[in-house]
């Protein structure tokens, strides 16, 4: 009996590694190895991989003396906090609305999800045109309302706001789909019990939907935060549209943009890797903080 149980356990172990193995190998090659390599590069100096010399903590000291680092950290967190709060909130409202029995529900789900599967470069190109101060759709609509539209991509007061608008628009649909799947897994019996007690739609949303959906909201918040902190492509596309590379670039700069500039424009691999390590530390700290905070607001069944 014992040998049969051991044989069954061995089969289950082998089956587990066969199914999880490819994912584990991919994670090792494309995640952990690059992290270790970046840690190593951050302690070296040189402009190519064949001629590197040990530099110790020099790159980190240069990074903290860089006047652009303050702008990059502020813009990164300003963008991330704004996009995460708005995209998760809008995604939750859309998911709740499209979970109702309404006409063309599937059509609206597809429409809202489309930005999530569209190339970031294409999104940037479209929004560059829409933000044009002369003939862009946004300023044309504002003009019909009697409002003078700003120069979205060249006015420091609106540059990051424009980037946030695009970030929220492109990520809300993705969050909506995940939250919608969570809503579909909430048993109807809870809503029926609330209706018997005389609960309104708002009470059902606050006291039934939100608590039971909190694990999914937590997951979406984690993934949205990591994605927002690493945002680059849309920011790069919109910044290039304004031709603000020198005069106004500090209003666009994020940490990933700084990493790109140091590593692929200036070919300073060491400083780029040092900033990448700093960004990794920020992401790890925020993720750990979110996992600690989940005990206070995430409710598992």
């Amino acid at each position: 009996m014992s040998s049969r149980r051991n044989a069954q356990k061995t089969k289950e172990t082998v089956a587990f590694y066969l199914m999880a193995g490819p994912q584990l190998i991919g994670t090792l090659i494309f995640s952990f190895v690059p992290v270790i390599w970046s840690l190593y590069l951050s302690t070296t100096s040189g402009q190519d991989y064949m001629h590197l010399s040990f530099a110790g903590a020099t790159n980190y000291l240069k990074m903290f003396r860089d006047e652009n680092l303050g702008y990059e950290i502020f813009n990164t967190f300003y963008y991330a906090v704004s996009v995460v709060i708005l995209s998760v909130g809008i995604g939750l409202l859309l998911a709740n609305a499209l979970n109702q029995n309404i006409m063309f529900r599937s059509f609206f789900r597809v429409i809202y999800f489309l930005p999530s599967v569209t190339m970031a470069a294409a999104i940037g190109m479209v929004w560059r045109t829409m933000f044009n101060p002369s003939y862009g759709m946004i300023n044309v609509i504002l003009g019909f309302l009697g409002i003078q539209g700003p120069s979205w991509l060249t006015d420091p007061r609106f540059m990051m706001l424009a980037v946030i608008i695009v970030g929220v628009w492109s990520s809300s649909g993705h969050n909506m789909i995940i939250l919608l799947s969570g809503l579909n897994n909430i048993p109807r019996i809870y809503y029926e019990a609330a209706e018997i007690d005389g609960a309104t739609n708002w009470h059902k949303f606050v006291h039934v939907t939100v608590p039971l959906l909190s694990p999914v909201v937590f997951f979406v918040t984690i993934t949205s935060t990591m994605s927002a902190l690493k945002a680059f492509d849309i920011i790069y596309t919109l910044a290039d549209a304004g031709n603000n590379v020198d005069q106004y670039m500090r209003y666009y700069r994020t940490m990933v943009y700084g990493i790109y500039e140091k590593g692929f424009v200036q070919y300073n691999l060491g400083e780029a890797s040092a900033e990448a390590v700093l960004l990794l530390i920020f992401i790890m700290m925020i993720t750990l903080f979110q996992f600690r905070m989940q005990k206070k607001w995430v409710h598992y069944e």
Side-chain angles (χ1 to χ4, degrees):
M1 192 70 176
S2 177
S3 60
R4 183 178 301 177
R5 187 181 297 116
N6 291 334
Q8 180 64 27
K9 187 175 181 179
T10 301
K11 289 181 180 179
E12 293 177 354
T13 303
V14 171
F16 167 77
Y17 282 111
L18 286 176
M19 290 185 288
Q23 179 66 33
L24 292 174
I25 294 173
T27 302
L28 177 66
I29 295 175
F30 297 107
S31 295
F32 291 112
V33 171
V35 168
I36 300 301
W37 183 244
S38 294
L39 287 170
Y40 165 71
L41 286 179
S42 67
T43 62
T44 65
S45 62
Q47 293 189 334
D48 62 77
Y49 297 111
M50 303 302 295
H51 302 86
L52 297 175
S53 58
F54 182 73
T58 303
N59 293 319
Y60 292 94
L61 297 176
K62 288 182 179 179
M63 176 183 65
F64 286 113
R65 289 196 295 263
D66 187 354
E67 62 179 8
N68 290 322
L69 182 64
Y71 296 114
E72 293 169 2
I73 294 177
F74 174 79
N75 290 337
T76 297
F77 283 94
Y78 178 39
Y79 173 84
V81 171
S82 302
V83 169
V84 170
I85 293 176
L86 292 174
S87 65
V88 173
I90 293 174
L92 179 57
L93 294 177
L94 289 174
N96 189 61
L98 295 179
N99 196 42
Q100 310 301 319
N101 189 18
I102 60 176
M103 293 181 61
F104 307 112
R105 182 172 59 178
S106 299
F107 171 76
F108 285 116
R109 288 178 179 179
V110 173
I111 291 298
Y112 285 123
F113 183 69
L114 276 178
S116 304
V117 295
T118 305
M119 292 180 59
I123 291 174
M125 294 290 289
V126 171
W127 279 93
R128 280 169 57 170
T129 304
M130 294 178 64
F131 281 131
N132 188 283
S134 301
Y135 55 81
M137 182 185 300
I138 295 178
N139 279 4
V140 169
I141 295 174
L142 292 176
F144 282 125
L145 299 175
I147 302 174
Q148 178 64 40
S151 298
W152 293 93
L153 301 180
T154 55
D155 189 333
R157 297 173 300 172
F158 298 97
M159 290 159 63
M160 184 51 69
L161 175 61
V163 176
I164 291 172
I165 291 173
V166 180
V168 172
W169 177 83
S170 60
S171 58
S172 295
H174 177 266
N175 294 337
M176 177 202 71
I177 291 297
I178 298 176
L179 292 167
L180 190 58
S181 66
L183 286 173
N184 291 330
N185 288 326
I186 298 178
R188 284 293 308 168
I189 188 174
Y190 294 113
Y191 293 105
E192 293 170 358
E195 290 171 359
I196 293 174
D197 290 336
T200 63
N201 289 333
W202 172 250
H203 288 139
K204 287 189 289 184
F205 178 75
V206 173
H207 299 291
V208 178
T209 301
V210 173
L212 293 178
L213 196 63
S214 58
V216 183
V217 174
F218 173 68
F219 171 78
V220 169
T221 302
I222 289 286
T223 56
S224 297
T225 300
M226 290 189 290
S227 176
L229 289 173
K230 297 183 292 183
F232 169 74
D233 36 23
I234 291 177
I235 295 175
Y236 177 80
T237 307
L238 293 177
D240 181 65
N243 297 319
N244 317 306
V245 177
D246 296 320
Q247 185 177 4
Y248 296 125
M249 199 59 225
R250 67 176 182 271
Y251 298 104
Y252 276 118
R253 297 184 70 93
T254 59
M255 295 188 70
V256 177
Y257 190 95
I259 294 169
Y260 158 78
E261 187 176 68
K262 292 181 178 68
F264 296 96
V265 177
Q266 302 172 359
Y267 296 103
N268 195 326
L269 303 178
E271 290 187 32
S273 298
E275 189 162 352
V277 171
L278 179 62
L279 178 60
L280 174 64
I281 293 173
F282 282 147
I283 293 175
M284 291 177 62
M285 291 174 58
I286 293 171
T287 304
L288 289 174
F289 174 76
Q290 290 175 320
F291 270 99
R292 291 290 296 272
M293 292 299 294
Q294 72 162 324
K295 298 177 183 179
K296 297 183 178 181
W297 65 275
V298 178
H299 306 280
Y300 294 99
E301 293 186 66

